[in-house]
């Protein structure tokens, strides 16, 4: 086993994978000037092993292993995982980096597969740990008409499905969407997106393949495309994720890489097992973003000279309450965790989904408060070219000074605008609502996870009505 360096990670991405971006085929994601930004962002999950080995590296059988990939077996393991995810997100500007999602899928496979599929999952897990691989996860099918199930669609390819099988392999066709890191990972894990019935057997499939597998085509979203300067875009000039429409054009998968093969009864449990870990990841990687929102609101109020106003203190208190509630629920999800199948610890689903719901439900109100405290300069302020011109800068320094010098105020305003008013801000707003599951999906899991027995029994005893 070995821990790869970020240089070794980058080198492994130049392999002929079929990536399409802004209407063109990308020859090399590492060399492409826009996509390389995402590669650099993801490389931080390798760099952290060098400067924080106490947090990011674990010994297994005397060999170093990335701590991202160590399956949790108790509450302390989950708490350490949460701390690792929070730290790497802090380095990533308050967003997810790379290894978090792939390891979520690994733990789900180890917990929710059976028989030969479990044997294959364990073998793949050992290889990932040994080679320190970067994994992407393709779960969400494009779904077509959402009133219809997988096997009822007019076009069967709107859910990924098995179209052929022989003694050595299966062949799959279809597409997944919202696939983060697909263009800059080593391997892709495919998971089912939902529970399925017997008539959906062909769609109950899970496997792993290298990104350069023939027939796999990645169409990367163009969000945050184009050149931008660090004065106006201090976050999005340094951090970018690659999301793709992931198309499987008759992709052949060796059977020793298949974890679920026409087992519809396992599709739902596997999908939900991934959700357990992925939402635990979500609420921990969002913690630095919460700090950004609270810190930015505090600083811009002071810069504008309104920090002592009563209504401003009230708004800051709202942000603090929201932020610390999410943090407390994230910690509770590890404290209340429980042993899962095959010895893999399961985060408490009630606390996990409450944390994710509370974050998502409050995010837009939080950014509205931040926008309110910042003022209209988020949209009408000067740009980087203006600031770089000494003659214009002198004017800006005079007229944009407030309780702090103009440069401090403008740089802070541009950071807030990058996060709220520009394309990266729109991206974050959509992520808050839909990433790691929608608000309705989280509410559904909260209802499923809550055991009302204690509350019902207490009220029944108080009312003297016995069991109903």
């Amino acid at each position: 086993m070995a821990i790869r360096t970020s240089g070794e990670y980058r080198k492994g991405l130049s392999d002929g994978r079929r990536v399409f971006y802004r209407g063109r085929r990308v020859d090399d994601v590492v060399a492409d000037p826009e996509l390389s930004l995402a590669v650099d962002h993801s490389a931080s999950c390798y760099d952290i092993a060098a400067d924080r080995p106490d947090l990011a590296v674990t010994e297994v059988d005397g060999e170093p292993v990335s701590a991202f990939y160590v399956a949790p077996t108790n509450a302390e393991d989950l708490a350490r995982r949460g701390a690792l995810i929070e730290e790497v997100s802090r380095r990533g500007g308050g967003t997810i980096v790379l290894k978090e999602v792939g390891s979520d899928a690994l733990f789900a496979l180890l917990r929710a597969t059976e028989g030969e599929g479990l044997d294959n999952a364990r073998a793949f897990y050992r290889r990932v740990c040994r080679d320190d691989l970067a994994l992407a996860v393709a779960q969400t099918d494009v779904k077509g008409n959402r009133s219809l199930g997988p096997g009822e669609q007019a076009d069967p390819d709107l859910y990924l499905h098995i179209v052929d099988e022989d003694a050595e392999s299966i062949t799959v066709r279809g597409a997944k969407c919202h696939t983060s890191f697909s263009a800059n990972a080593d391997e892709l894990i495919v998971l089912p997106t939902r529970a399925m019935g017997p008539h959906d057997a062909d769609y109950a499939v899970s496997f792993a393949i290298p990104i350069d597998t023939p027939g796999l085509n990645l169409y990367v979203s163009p969000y945050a495309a184009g050149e931008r300067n660090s004065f106006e875009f201090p976050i999005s000039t340094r951090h970018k994720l690659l999301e793709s429409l992931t198309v499987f054009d008759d992709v052949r998968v060796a059977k020793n890489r298949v974890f679920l093969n026409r087992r519809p009864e396992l599709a739902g449990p596997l999908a939900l097992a991934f959700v357990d870990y992925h939402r635990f990841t979500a609420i921990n990687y969002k913690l630095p973003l919460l700090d950004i929102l609270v810190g930015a609101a505090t600083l811009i109020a002071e810069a504008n000279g309104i920090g002592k106003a009563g209504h401003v203190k009230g708004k800051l208190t709202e942000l603090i309450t929201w932020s610390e509630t999410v943090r407390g629920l994230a910690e509770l999800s590890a404290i209340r965790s429980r042993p899962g199948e095959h010895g893999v610890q399961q985060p408490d689903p009630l606390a996990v989904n409450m944390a994710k719901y509370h974050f998502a439900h409050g995010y837009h109100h939080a950014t509205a408060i931040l926008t309110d405290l910042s003022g209209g300069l988020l949209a009408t302020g000067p740009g980087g070219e203006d600031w770089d011109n000494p003659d214009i800068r002198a004017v800006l320094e005079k007229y944009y000074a407030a309780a702090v010098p103009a440069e401090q105020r403008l740089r802070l305003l541009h950071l807030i605008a990058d996060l709220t008013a520009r394309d990266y801000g729109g991206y974050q707003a959509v992520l808050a609502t839909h990433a790691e599951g929608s608000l309705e999906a989280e509410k559904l899991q909260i209802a499923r996870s809550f055991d009302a027995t204690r509350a019902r029994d207490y009220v029944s005893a108080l009312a003297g009505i016995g069991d109903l």
Side-chain angles (χ1 to χ4, degrees):
M1 295 182 184
I3 302 295
R4 286 201 295 175
T5 66
S6 57
E8 290 168 332
Y9 156 67
R10 289 183 176 91
K11 185 177 180 180
L13 301 179
S14 300
D15 56 8
R17 59 190 60 199
R18 292 180 58 82
V19 176
F20 299 86
Y21 181 65
R22 301 180 71 187
R24 59 184 171 84
R25 169 82 184 270
V26 176
D27 294 327
D28 187 342
V29 297
V30 179
D32 187 271
E34 288 194 22
L35 302 192
S36 62
L37 175 62
V39 175
D40 293 341
H41 171 81
S42 291
S44 62
C45 72
Y46 285 95
D47 290 332
I48 194 175
D51 57 65
R52 284 296 309 275
D54 59 306
L55 189 61
V57 179
T58 298
E59 280 200 2
V60 176
D61 297 328
E63 297 288 340
V65 175
S66 172
F68 283 104
Y69 296 142
V70 177
T73 59
N74 53 49
E76 290 74 21
D77 289 346
L78 277 173
R80 181 187 176 187
R81 177 172 174 78
L84 173 59
I85 291 168
E86 180 179 0
E87 174 58 26
V88 78
S89 173
R90 192 170 298 278
R91 298 173 183 220
T95 192
I96 204 163
V97 172
L98 174 61
K99 285 187 177 180
E100 308 94 319
V101 184
S103 52
D104 291 336
L106 283 177
F107 303 157
L109 290 168
L110 294 176
R111 217 186 83 200
T113 52
E114 296 179 356
E116 184 177 355
L118 178 58
D119 292 339
N120 291 344
R122 286 171 172 167
F124 180 69
Y125 172 74
R126 290 191 294 270
R127 178 171 171 267
V128 170
C129 292
R130 183 194 69 212
D131 296 340
D132 199 15
L133 298 177
L135 307 175
V137 178
Q139 182 182 38
T140 305
D141 290 278
V142 293
K143 296 178 182 176
N145 184 340
R146 296 193 180 203
S147 69
L148 303 175
E152 300 169 325
Q153 300 290 329
D155 184 343
D157 298 344
L158 296 179
Y159 281 79
L160 183 69
H161 59 120
I162 299 170
V163 295
D164 196 12
E165 180 174 2
D166 57 35
E168 303 297 327
S169 68
I170 62 171
T171 300
V172 298
R173 184 186 304 156
K176 301 275 188 175
C177 58
H178 317 312
T179 312
S180 301
F181 312 116
S182 55
N184 62 289
D186 299 309
E187 297 250 357
L188 181 71
I189 295 178
V190 172
L191 297 175
T193 194
R194 54 176 286 175
M196 297 181 186
H199 55 288
D200 296 320
D202 286 345
Y203 298 85
V205 61
S206 174
F207 55 87
I209 52 173
I211 299 296
D212 64 347
T213 298
L216 182 65
N217 299 296
L218 309 176
Y219 300 86
V220 175
S221 166
Y223 98 89
E227 293 184 6
R228 54 189 64 205
N229 63 75
S230 59
F231 184 79
E232 294 173 67
F233 302 91
I235 300 177
S236 59
T237 49
R238 293 184 291 142
H239 303 290
K240 181 180 176 70
L241 272 67
L242 303 183
E243 322 273 358
S244 73
L245 171 67
T246 306
V247 177
F248 301 78
D249 186 8
D250 289 354
V251 172
R252 186 172 181 268
V253 184
K255 282 195 172 176
N256 62 2
R257 283 177 158 268
V258 176
F259 315 124
L260 195 67
N261 183 0
R262 293 186 169 105
R263 294 285 304 275
E265 73 278 10
L266 297 181
L270 179 54
L272 289 177
F274 175 65
V275 163
D276 285 340
Y277 297 108
H278 198 36
R279 289 184 188 157
F280 179 81
T281 287
I283 59 179
N284 283 283
Y285 89 71
K286 296 294 188 186
L287 298 179
L289 179 58
L290 298 177
D291 286 345
I292 291 172
L293 292 168
V294 173
T298 303
L299 289 172
I300 198 60
E302 294 172 358
N304 286 338
I306 59 174
K308 294 183 179 180
H311 74 94
V312 172
K313 291 181 179 179
K315 290 167 183 172
L316 292 175
T317 300
E318 286 186 62
L319 285 177
I320 293 166
T321 301
W322 169 69
S323 172
E324 288 302 296
T325 299
V326 175
R327 183 177 291 275
L329 288 168
E331 294 172 355
L332 185 64
S333 68
I335 293 170
R336 283 187 175 179
S337 64
R338 66 198 70 169
E341 298 87 341
H342 309 303
V344 184
Q345 191 80 356
Q346 177 185 2
D348 177 57
L350 179 61
V352 162
N353 283 279
M354 286 174 60
K356 180 62 173 62
Y357 178 82
H358 189 71
F359 167 81
H361 192 262
Y363 182 82
H364 299 280
H365 180 58
T367 55
I369 290 175
L370 182 55
T371 301
D372 181 30
L373 297 176
S374 300
L377 285 177
L378 293 180
T380 67
E385 293 89 351
D386 297 319
W387 190 255
D388 288 339
N389 184 316
D391 294 332
I392 297 176
R393 182 186 296 190
V395 177
L396 303 179
E397 288 176 331
K398 175 179 174 64
Y399 288 107
Y400 285 130
V404 299
E407 180 170 0
Q408 292 182 26
R409 184 182 181 216
L410 289 173
R411 288 190 181 277
L412 184 57
L413 283 165
H414 278 304
L415 182 144
I416 294 168
D418 201 8
L419 185 61
T420 62
R422 298 177 183 147
D423 54 1
Y424 183 74
Y427 175 76
Q428 287 291 348
V430 173
L431 287 187
T433 302
H434 288 291
E436 301 90 34
S438 67
L439 287 163
E440 291 305 314
E442 288 143 17
K443 286 163 63 178
L444 180 61
Q445 283 302 99
I446 290 168
R448 284 173 173 168
S449 302
F450 180 68
D451 184 353
T453 302
R454 181 182 63 192
R456 288 169 55 89
D457 288 350
Y458 182 45
V459 172
S460 294
L462 286 174
I465 58 176
D467 296 332
L468 293 181

